[in-house]
Amino acid sequence: MNVSEATAETRTAGDAAPARSAAIDIRGLSLTFQAGDQAVHALSDINLSIDRGEFVSLIGPSGCGKTTLMRVIADLERPTAGSISVFGGDPERARLGRAYGYVFQAPTLQAWRTVERNVELPLEIMGMSAAERRRRSRDRLALVGLTGFERKYPWQLSGGMQQRVSIARALSFDPDLLLMDEPFGALDEITRDHLNEELLALWAKTGKTVIFVTHSIAEAVFLSTRIVVMSRRPGRIIDVIDCPLPATRDLAIRDAPEFLEIAARVRRALRDSHSYDD
Amino acid sequence: MTTEATAGRRRGRQSGQLASVGTVLAGLVALWYLIAIPLNGAQLEDLFARIDPNRTFSFSERLTATWDNNRPMLPTPDLIAADFWDSATSTSVTNRRNILYHVGVTAGATALGFALGALLGVVLAIGLVHLRTLDASLMPWLIASQTIPILAIAPMLIAVLGNIGLTGLAPKAIISMYLCFFPVTVGMVKGLRAPDRLALDLMRTYSATRAQVLGKLRFPAAMPYLFASLKVGIALGLVGTMVAELSTGGQAGLGGRLLTASYNGDMIHMWTALVTSSLLAILLVYLVGRAERLFTAPAPAMQAG
Amino acid sequence: MAARTAAYWPWDIVAAALMAPLPVALLVAPGPEGTPVQAIVSAVAALAAIALLLAGGRPPARPLRIVVAVLAAAGALAPLATLRDGALGAAGLTFLLYMLGYTVLLWRAFALLAMADMPRVVSRGLVAAAFGVALLWYWQVIVDWFLVPRALLPSPAAIGEALASETRLLWSDFQVTFFLSVLPGFAIGSLAGFLFALVVDGRPFLARGLLPLGSAFSAIPIVAVAPIMIMWFGSGPESKAAVVVLMTFFPMMVNTLGGLAIVDRMELDLMRSYGAGYWTRLLKLRLPTALPFIFNALKINATLAMIGAIVSEFFGSPLAGMGFRISAMIGRLNLEMVWATIAVAAVAGSLFYGLWALLERIFTFWHPSHRR
């Protein structure tokens, strides 16, 4: 697999290159919904740049616009002000060019398709040949550890396995960008820890750029290279915290002093944003 | 999010819906007039030829002729409305020539059959939920009976009941009753079984009797199901009454009027009876809906956002 | 409730055994002047049996239950044999007691069958089948017992005879109604409703206006257009098919519209993230999601189509068809034939419905209501 081999090089090469291109570049972006007679300011003056190969978490209280920001990147919402570029172009071009895979809060698998045919759904839409589709779905399902479950129906799997199928589906067409919107929010903590480790390994193997929405501090610190802390409505970025933990980490790192220190910084930033409103 | 904004949005949505419904209705009426042109036009060619074979008639002359045709294939809504108004106002309501008299006859038989059928259905549903043997033996047949054309029995039932001296209101109400009864029973059984394990266990922790579980839990939980099936039931009951009236040879009621008009080949009267029965059906279902709002707690308002 | 804790005592067997001599007594001396002693003995035995059965108690062990079932089944033959010779006369009271006792015994047998330790599907199926047979049995006994005139209510045996002797006529009536009216009307009406829903679905303004009207339309007694359709299309099968088209159009339209409207927001976003167009969205997501609704409409329409065709045939048709047969045979007071035709219509209706229910299971096996 070309992707998995290219991983490490992409990241180091990206760091070294003088004119490296950012994966995402957002400047002065705002978004206002019109709800009846009232305007709701969902996002306000967002500035954020994300490099290729980064793992960035968006964290904040519910309703702070982190999902909305992700949806803007995915071209599922249009900003009302400011500019955004995804891989140097506008988000619509990125969407139509299938530049990203989106993983939602829920697995959103189609009940009438088997696991492998669910993974093949985007490939069908792109008009790929049946043999190539089958090869890729087998490969991606192996990547998320679901070999042997190809012929099952989604409703015959546990919640955690369903979400892994949805990740395999997002990876099926090999996008450079993975957008994950609280993908493990509905799972129990043990499953969630396990999938966090797997996701980290997957990221190291594939070198994708990942944007990850969560409301768990531990999850954000454990997974990310950078953590973007957002405030309650109108959604604003109040802090961006670097997360210089070693590239290979296991769950034990959550007891290490440097981990706890970063977690404490995130918690402080979140608390400050709360006092804003109250 | 303030409540005013939510209410405002809901109001906006409602008025938007009203506009949609209005437009669709207007479109349907316009479509009616359009369809009437070819349907009524065909026989007019003859007529025009008889009036003056050499003259060509203008489009507007043809159009008014198709719409004002007094023996039309498809009478236009204005002709039907005029016929209804004429019939409803020219004689007293107790006169057999008055359409409102027939509305009363049909509505009365339907209401009586509906009341009996609903009562029977609810009682039987309570039995089915509490008696396992009855549930095992009768329920499969009740469900299967939903799939067969029960209405086929109507004319025979009318004839047999007529043989033993039952005519007029009773046989119509009986047919209306048995058509109402099946959906009400099946819907009510579903409703009485709607409470989940947790809710039933809660009643057990209070050591409630079966009657208390029925009154405090099962019955309230069954209300939405009951009213949904009552709406189906009353519409079916009206169909039953009408078919019964059509089978008795057209003595009274909207079905009878429809049949008498069809013997006379009077399309306008037929359509008036049909349209009136449709409006009666909508009115009856609407009344059941009003009763639902009266007897059940208002549903909590939808939370916005 | 003492019975709950007490050890098992074979109430059921005793009661069922007490029932057994009664038909013998009736068979030996049924005549109009039937011996009072026998009648009294039988009556006492019957009352004792009823009391024992109503007292209830724990269900007996499995082999004993089979004994109860066999006795109950055997007991059904006695009244049929007794009534074969006509009026009961003085034995009437004993017969009434027997019927009461037998009803209690039957109820008990059903209860035992319903709680039998077999797979639920099997025991439920057996109880339902036994109940159907019991209904026919009561029907037969009551008709024979009270000498109900054939013009009022023919017995199941007489209807069975009509079914056997007039099979060809019934079959040709079925063919005319089903293949010339039901099937074309069902196909045209359902397809038109489906296509119309697709057209409307692309125009939200229309959909919002039509959905609330759909429930009003469904209340309309459309069968009543039958006389009008006969004036429009003549008395042939076309007018019946036209009624069926009108009856099946709205349920399909309303259900399809409803099914297309329920698609999950997140799933639509997923499709958008793939850059999927209208037709891809429709074929890969929205139609499969709407499929359970479409099948629901097909099942409703299967029944409506049968009703529409048969009822329309009441009001004028060429000399064939199930509805025609029913109304013609009512005129001749040949109620056996009426019931035979109704039986054919019922079986045909259930099978037509069952076909769509089966297809639904095959095509929407993934729906929560069908998962196993």
Side-chain angles (χ1 to χ4, degrees):
Chain A
M1 265 273 336
N2 48 358
V3 190
S4 39
E5 284 150 16
T7 49
E9 294 94 295
T10 320
R11 284 169 75 193
T12 43
D15 284 346
R20 65 180 187 204
S21 65
I24 313 280
D25 195 35
I26 298 170
R27 286 169 203 278
L29 182 138
S30 296
L31 194 151
T32 310
F33 289 116
Q34 202 60 40
D37 321 326
Q38 274 205 333
V40 178
H41 300 281
L43 294 172
S44 165
D45 193 28
I46 303 283
N47 289 292
L48 182 65
S49 180
I50 296 172
D51 290 338
R52 285 177 190 266
E54 264 199 286
F55 194 124
V56 174
S57 286
L58 306 178
I59 194 167
S62 349
C64 72
K66 49 193 193 296
T67 295
T68 310
L69 179 57
M70 184 100 111
R71 291 172 61 85
V72 170
I73 296 170
D75 188 40
L76 298 174
E77 307 280 356
R78 294 279 160 89
T80 38
S83 73
I84 171 168
S85 82
V86 178
F87 296 123
D90 67 62
E92 188 180 7
R93 213 191 67 183
R95 175 170 68 82
L96 295 177
R98 278 96 183 199
Y100 65 83
Y102 205 119
V103 181
F104 294 89
Q105 291 102 318
T108 59
L109 301 174
Q110 297 190 330
W112 53 89
R113 285 171 175 264
T114 57
V115 164
E116 61 184 356
R117 292 202 56 228
N118 261 293
V119 176
E120 289 170 26
L121 174 68
L123 309 177
E124 271 177 41
I125 291 173
M126 292 165 197
M128 202 174 275
S129 77
E132 175 64 11
R133 290 203 308 253
R134 192 49 41 102
R135 195 187 68 72
R136 285 196 180 214
S137 70
R138 291 283 153 111
D139 180 76
R140 300 311 189 275
L141 283 171
L143 205 60
V144 296
L146 281 178
T147 302
F149 291 93
E150 293 90 351
R151 296 289 167 84
K152 295 273 185 209
Y153 285 92
W155 31 275
Q156 295 169 321
L157 306 184
S158 69
M161 288 162 101
Q162 290 184 21
Q163 200 53 282
R164 282 196 280 179
V165 176
S166 133
I167 293 170
R169 183 181 58 189
L171 291 171
S172 68
F173 50 95
D174 220 359
D176 293 325
L177 177 63
L178 207 49
L179 301 175
M180 306 182 83
D181 187 0
E182 292 185 37
F184 310 134
L187 304 177
D188 65 87
E189 200 170 344
I190 295 166
T191 313
R192 173 188 261 215
D193 282 349
H194 181 60
L195 288 179
N196 276 344
E197 276 190 306
E198 285 192 357
L199 177 62
L200 209 54
L202 202 69
W203 173 64
K205 229 192 293 178
T206 59
K208 308 275 182 206
T209 312
V210 181
I211 304 179
F212 190 94
V213 167
T214 180
H215 50 229
S216 155
I217 295 172
E219 196 174 50
V221 179
F222 179 67
L223 291 172
S224 317
T225 54
R226 264 197 303 163
I227 300 168
V228 175
V229 183
M230 294 182 68
S231 74
R232 205 170 268 176
R233 208 169 265 161
R236 259 184 307 237
I237 294 178
I238 45 174
D239 204 355
V240 177
I241 296 166
D242 275 322
C243 205
L245 295 172
T248 47
R249 5 182 147 159
D250 56 27
L251 287 169
I253 204 169
R254 292 193 298 193
D255 299 322
E258 58 268 39
F259 183 98
L260 295 173
E261 194 191 316
I262 299 168
R265 273 189 64 193
V266 176
R267 191 170 297 115
R268 254 198 316 278
L270 279 170
R271 200 184 303 133
D272 291 347
S273 85
H274 266 258
S275 57
Y276 243 76
D277 286 79
D278 301 335
Chain B
M1 172 91 7
T2 61
T3 45
E4 303 97 78
T6 319
R9 211 180 326 154
R10 199 176 305 142
R11 249 197 320 278
R13 219 179 293 143
Q14 267 171 1
S15 68
Q17 172 123 43
L18 224 58
S20 290
V21 173
T23 314
V24 167
L25 276 178
L28 286 178
V29 171
L31 195 66
W32 191 323
Y33 278 101
L34 270 177
I35 296 174
I37 297 173
L39 274 176
N40 302 340
Q43 42 168 331
L44 284 175
E45 293 304 322
D46 264 14
L47 188 75
F48 284 133
R50 244 178 292 144
I51 296 171
D52 186 350
N54 300 318
R55 199 184 130 204
T56 43
F57 289 84
S58 74
F59 179 72
S60 67
E61 276 176 306
R62 285 168 179 277
L63 208 60
T64 38
T66 53
W67 285 340
D68 291 343
N69 186 350
N70 56 10
R71 295 196 78 78
M73 291 289 278
L74 175 62
T76 50
D78 62 292
L79 283 178
I80 294 170
D83 181 49
F84 180 87
W85 184 250
D86 187 44
S87 167
T89 53
S90 60
T91 52
S92 86
V93 179
T94 52
N95 192 305
R96 291 184 51 88
R97 299 176 67 89
N98 192 318
I99 191 157
L100 293 178
Y101 166 80
H102 296 282
V103 170
V105 169
T106 300
T110 305
L112 181 61
F114 170 74
L116 292 173
L119 190 70
L120 193 63
V122 169
V123 169
L124 194 68
I126 292 172
L128 281 166
V129 168
H130 288 96
L131 296 174
R132 196 169 143 183
T133 312
L134 196 62
D135 178 47
S137 53
L138 186 58
M139 200 59 196
W141 292 97
L142 280 176
I143 292 172
S145 74
Q146 302 265 69
T147 69
I148 65 171
I150 308 180
L151 208 56
I153 310 179
M156 182 188 62
L157 213 56
I158 295 278
V160 167
L161 291 172
N163 282 348
I164 58 170
L166 274 178
T167 52
L169 177 71
K172 290 195 274 180
I174 288 172
I175 287 167
S176 172
M177 176 188 88
Y178 83 62
L179 281 176
C180 281
F181 152 80
F182 289 105
V184 171
T185 312
V186 173
M188 190 66 186
V189 166
K190 217 181 210 173
L192 291 174
R193 293 228 169 97
D196 59 11
R197 228 341 345 118
L198 284 179
L200 286 169
D201 282 347
L202 184 71
M203 296 305 274
R204 267 180 79 97
T205 66
Y206 303 150
S207 53
T209 62
R210 276 180 143 200
Q212 283 169 324
V213 173
L214 182 68
K216 305 252 178 251
L217 176 62
R218 288 190 189 274
F219 225 84
M223 277 303 138
Y225 294 83
L226 175 65
F227 278 99
S229 54
L230 285 181
K231 283 181 203 163
V232 175
I234 200 159
L236 278 178
L238 180 68
V239 172
T241 310
M242 297 264 306
V243 170
E245 286 167 351
L246 283 165
S247 312
T248 47
Q251 287 147 353
L254 289 170
R257 209 172 145 95
L258 186 66
L259 199 66
T260 316
S262 105
Y263 289 153
N264 301 333
D266 185 342
M267 270 289 181
I268 298 183
H269 270 60
M270 285 174 85
W271 276 95
T272 308
L274 185 69
V275 170
T276 309
S277 66
S278 304
L279 294 177
L280 177 62
I282 292 167
L283 175 72
L284 289 174
V285 173
Y286 171 78
L287 287 178
V288 175
R290 292 297 299 192
E292 176 174 19
R293 253 180 272 169
L294 216 65
F295 286 115
T296 57
M302 291 289 253
Q303 293 293 303
Chain C
M1 288 292 116
R4 283 245 175 105
T5 49
Y8 173 69
W9 201 79
W11 304 104
D12 307 82
I13 308 293
V14 173
L18 274 171
M19 294 297 297
L22 275 161
V24 179
L26 284 163
L27 277 175
V28 171
E33 59 280 337
T35 328
V37 179
Q38 278 168 327
I40 290 166
V41 170
S42 317
V44 170
L47 286 173
I50 295 169
L52 282 173
L53 283 165
L54 288 179
R58 277 192 348 185
R62 193 170 185 179
L64 296 179
R65 277 187 228 166
I66 296 171
V67 177
V68 176
V70 170
L71 284 172
L77 297 172
L80 294 177
T82 311
L83 289 165
R84 202 184 42 204
D85 304 325
L88 284 172
L93 178 68
T94 326
F95 193 80
L96 176 68
L97 278 171
Y98 182 80
M99 288 301 289
L100 283 176
Y102 187 73
T103 303
V104 180
L105 178 63
L106 209 54
W107 181 259
R108 185 73 178 159
F110 282 167
L112 292 181
L113 200 55
M115 63 177 90
D117 45 2
M118 303 179 243
R120 203 181 135 85
V121 191
V122 177
S123 77
R124 287 275 159 139
L126 277 176
V127 177
F131 185 79
V133 174
L135 277 187
L136 288 177
W137 180 83
Y138 275 102
W139 181 351
Q140 182 74 41
V141 168
I142 285 169
V143 168
D144 287 348
W145 187 4
F146 296 104
L147 305 172
V148 179
R150 300 184 79 164
L152 218 53
L153 183 69
S155 71
I159 296 167
E161 271 168 42
L163 272 170
S165 61
E166 300 287 355
T167 314
R168 286 185 59 188
L169 185 62
L170 289 166
W171 174 243
S172 72
D173 280 339
F174 163 77
Q175 281 180 309
V176 167
T177 303
F178 191 78
F179 292 111
L180 297 183
S181 307
V182 173
L183 220 47
F186 174 85
I188 296 171
S190 301
L191 194 65
F194 176 74
L195 294 177
F196 192 70
L198 285 190
V199 171
V200 168
D201 180 64
R203 289 149 192 80
F205 183 78
L206 270 184
R208 255 187 310 158
L210 264 170
L211 266 181
L213 289 178
S215 57
F217 279 137
S218 69
I220 291 176
I222 302 181
V223 225
V225 298
I228 292 174
M229 289 299 130
I230 287 169
M231 291 186 84
W232 278 14
F233 296 102
S235 62
E238 298 83 6
S239 54
K240 284 84 199 171
V243 175
V244 175
V245 168
L246 288 177
M247 286 183 83
T248 52
F249 177 83
F250 289 110
M252 179 53 94
M253 187 198 81
V254 171
N255 271 283
T256 308
L257 269 183
L260 289 173
I262 56 152
V263 169
D264 184 56
R265 174 91 195 274
M266 235 186 258
E267 304 208 39
L268 278 177
D269 280 346
L270 184 73
M271 283 295 173
R272 199 175 142 81
S273 82
Y274 300 149
Y278 173 81
W279 288 105
T280 310
R281 266 202 324 267
L282 191 69
L283 287 175
K284 299 260 183 229
L285 174 62
R286 305 183 63 219
L287 277 182
T289 312
L291 211 55
F293 287 75
I294 294 170
F295 270 108
N296 188 39
L298 286 170
K299 288 193 295 182
I300 294 170
N301 281 353
T303 311
L304 284 179
M306 291 293 293
I307 292 174
I310 293 175
V311 172
S312 316
E313 283 175 353
F314 292 157
F315 309 111
S317 53
L319 304 172
M322 294 192 283
F324 163 79
R325 192 66 55 204
I326 289 172
S327 62
M329 290 300 162
I330 290 171
R332 285 196 229 157
L333 287 180
N334 184 350
L335 286 203
E336 287 88 352
M337 209 39 204
V338 173
W339 277 102
T341 309
I342 287 171
V344 172
V347 171
S350 310
L351 287 181
F352 193 37
Y353 180 94
L355 171 73
W356 293 107
L358 186 72
L359 289 174
E360 179 186 35
R361 286 213 149 231
I362 294 171
F363 285 104
T364 65
F365 65 93
W366 44 268
H367 194 258
S369 59
H370 298 309
R371 287 177 197 167
R372 256 164 295 163

